[in-house]
Amino acid sequence: MGDAENFSPQTGPETGDERSLTPWIIGAVIVAALVAVVVLVGHYVSTSAGPAPVNPYVAQLEISGLHMATAENFAGGRVTYIEGRLTNRGDRKVKGARIEVRFKDSLGQVAQKDALPVMVVQPGLPYLDYGSLELAPLSPGQSRDFRLTIEHITAQWDGQMPEARVVSVTTS
C-alpha cells in the first residue's frame, strides 16, 4: 500500500521527471528571451551609431619624412618606432592627434592597423624627449618631429614602410 500514497486518481502516478523539467524549461525560455534582447539591442546600436564623424581639420595636418626604428624595452622586448614630421597647415592650434598606421602583408592586404596618439618632441628641454601634443600644441604653420610607439607588429607584415594618415585631431 505504500505505492497508493503516490497515486492520484485524476492525474495518475506522479513522477519526479515532470517536476524537475519545469524549472529547466522556464530557465531556458528566460535565457532565450535575454539573448534575443541583447542581439536586437546590439544590432540597433551598432547600425544606428555609424562611424564617428571625421574632423575636417585632419586635412590640414601633413605627415612627412617617415622612417622606422627599433629598440629594446626594459623588459627585453622589442619596440618599433615610426618617426616623422607633422606640419599644421591650418589656422588653428592642434592640441592632440591620432595617426593610423597600416601594415600590409605580402599580398598587399592590411595585416595590422593601429591608430596611435601622436607624441611630439618637447621643446625647450636640454635632452630629446617626446610627449603629448597637449603639453606642446602645434601652432598654425608650425612643424615638429613626432614618434609613434608600436609594441607588437604582426608576423604577416611584409617589412615595408606602413601607410600613415591622420585620423583624428583636437584643436583650439
Side-chain angles (χ1 to χ4, degrees):
M1 290 262 169
D3 289 336
E5 294 175 19
N6 290 334
F7 183 79
S8 167
Q10 291 140 353
T11 61
E14 293 182 19
T15 61
D17 291 339
E18 291 176 10
R19 279 184 270 149
S20 65
L21 286 179
T22 302
W24 286 103
I25 293 171
I26 292 171
V29 168
I30 291 172
V31 168
L34 288 173
V35 168
V37 166
V38 167
V39 168
L40 289 173
V41 168
H43 178 71
Y44 175 74
V45 168
S46 66
T47 58
S48 65
V54 175
N55 183 335
Y57 199 81
V58 298
Q60 301 300 322
L61 298 179
E62 180 183 304
I63 299 171
S64 60
L66 285 180
H67 60 278
M68 295 179 71
T70 58
E72 282 193 26
N73 62 17
F74 295 113
R78 197 171 178 151
V79 178
T80 302
Y81 300 111
I82 296 177
E83 299 175 332
R85 190 153 187 87
L86 186 65
T87 302
N88 181 358
R89 300 271 181 223
D91 58 358
R92 296 187 207 157
K93 188 178 283 191
V94 175
K95 298 188 324 184
R98 292 182 81 77
I99 293 178
E100 179 182 88
V101 290
R102 293 179 177 218
F103 295 90
K104 296 197 174 177
D105 64 15
S106 60
L107 300 174
Q109 297 183 352
V110 176
Q112 179 176 334
K113 177 173 72 169
D114 295 310
L116 304 163
V118 174
M119 305 300 276
V120 294
V121 171
Q122 297 297 298
L125 297 177
Y127 55 91
L128 181 63
D129 193 19
Y130 290 86
S132 167
L133 269 170
E134 194 170 40
L135 297 174
L138 200 57
S139 297
Q142 188 177 26
S143 296
R144 192 167 306 132
D145 291 335
F146 73 88
R147 173 183 279 178
L148 307 173
T149 304
I150 302 164
E151 298 290 330
H152 171 76
I153 299 176
T154 181
Q156 286 79 32
W157 174 44
D158 64 4
Q160 300 299 312
M161 177 63 73
E163 293 175 359
R165 67 184 182 104
V166 178
V167 292
S168 70
V169 64
T170 305
T171 59
S172 61

